[in-house]
Amino acid sequence: MNETLGVVGGYDGSDHSMQALDWAMDEAELRRLPLTVCHAWQWPYGDGDPAARESLRRAAEHVLWHGADCARASSSGLQVRTDLCEGSTTRRLEELSADAALLVVGSRGLGTMARAVIGSVAAHVASHARCPVVVVRGRGALPRKPHPGPIVAGVATDGKADAVLGFAFTEAAMRGLPLVVVHAWRQPPVAWGGMTFPVMDPLAVQHAAESWLAETLAPWRQKQPKVAIEARTPQERAGEALAAVSDATLVVVGSPHGRFGSVAAAMLRKAPCPVAIVR
């Protein structure tokens, strides 16, 4: 990944995409990278009238110009680039993700039904992008709050912990915020005679979870000694444990390529703040 596009923000003029653009500007400034504002448009009527098609293209240019102009006016010295594409928004953002450090999108756009929890564009790029994706939802962008809450990372024994922690520690260090690392666990049951029973002593399971998390965090504590870390090992579902941190600035979780893990899906439905999906 050469990251030549810097931070890519999807923009369609909606309130949700404006929140995403705010977050993308913050990320680009904090990371000292350029910002690429992307807008895609499609002519939905077959061959149609060339004049009407050209009018729609000019309207798309105006939307993109507005987003880029807002970014330039709201930042100090930020290099802002634009990308206008005729075609699928999801396909274009997925293409751009190959050369981006980070992709930022709103949870819903202009074309999404109001009752939808997460829009089709956000859902697709969050599961198919080739770089980390931030889906901005909830209270929106930072650092607008006077007392921002911690960065929260959810980790498990699935091989994704280092990728999640690398992103989460970077965010915490850049923003000067503490980091809460959550490793939720549940006691594995065993079925016998139509009933389920605990297979292990819960204290032993909890001790194993605490030991694994302490061992996993040890090298990161050395790499990022200035980041205040709180380790939590609650006995509950991971999604519930992460959503319980109600003052979080950002929740960071891992997910396999091409689909959502159960925790990532839960966060995109329930998190009170933006969600970063890392692979």
Side-chain angles (χ1 to χ4, degrees):
M1 188 185 302
N2 57 33
E3 302 182 355
T4 56
L5 296 177
V7 177
V8 174
Y11 182 77
D12 65 5
S14 67
D15 289 343
H16 289 275
S17 72
M18 193 68 239
Q19 283 185 326
L21 186 59
D22 284 343
W23 188 279
M25 286 188 291
D26 289 342
E27 289 284 353
E29 289 183 330
L30 289 168
R31 295 170 182 265
R32 298 183 179 181
L33 292 174
L35 170 66
T36 300
V37 184
C38 174
H39 177 64
W41 66 282
Q42 287 182 296
W43 175 256
Y45 306 116
D47 292 336
D49 178 16
R53 186 187 184 97
E54 176 62 16
S55 178
L56 184 60
R57 185 192 66 79
R58 288 198 301 268
E61 286 182 340
H62 179 76
V63 170
L64 181 60
W65 170 84
H66 177 266
D69 191 58
C70 288
R72 294 188 182 102
S74 303
S75 60
S76 176
L78 179 64
Q79 182 182 2
V80 180
R81 305 167 179 172
T82 58
D83 182 89
L84 181 66
C85 172
E86 180 181 0
S88 166
T89 302
T90 55
R91 183 175 67 246
R92 184 55 179 164
L93 289 174
E94 185 177 348
E95 290 172 352
L96 293 178
S97 72
D99 294 319
L102 180 67
L103 179 60
V104 184
V105 294
S107 59
R108 294 192 289 275
L110 290 174
T112 306
M113 293 181 295
R115 67 176 180 271
V117 174
I118 180 172
S120 59
V121 172
H124 181 88
V125 299
S127 58
H128 289 84
R130 304 180 196 180
C131 66
V133 177
V134 173
V135 178
V136 180
R137 49 164 293 127
R139 291 186 295 269
L142 250 172
R144 305 301 192 274
K145 293 185 296 182
H147 303 290
I151 304 297
V152 179
V155 294
T157 57
D158 56 2
K160 305 184 190 76
D162 278 341
V164 171
L165 290 173
F167 188 92
F169 268 97
T170 296
E171 287 288 330
M174 288 191 309
R175 298 178 182 275
L177 296 175
L179 174 63
V180 175
V181 183
V182 178
H183 173 51
W185 62 276
R186 302 186 73 194
Q187 190 175 10
V190 62
W192 183 77
M195 301 179 67
T196 58
F197 301 90
V199 70
M200 294 180 65
D201 178 1
L203 291 178
V205 180
Q206 181 176 359
H207 178 71
E210 292 171 349
S211 297
W212 178 85
L213 185 56
E215 182 178 346
T216 301
L217 287 176
W220 290 100
R221 292 182 185 275
Q222 293 181 348
K223 293 177 186 177
Q224 297 279 7
K226 294 183 180 180
V227 175
I229 306 168
E230 178 185 349
R232 299 183 183 181
T233 54
Q235 184 182 1
E236 59 183 321
R237 293 182 183 276
E240 296 171 354
L242 292 170
V245 189
S246 59
D247 64 337
T249 287
L250 176 71
V251 172
V252 186
V253 294
S255 189
H257 185 78
R259 63 184 178 87
F260 289 133
S262 59
V263 177
M267 289 300 94
L268 290 173
R269 291 194 308 269
K270 301 177 181 179
C273 63
V275 179
I277 309 293
V278 182
R279 294 180 180 81

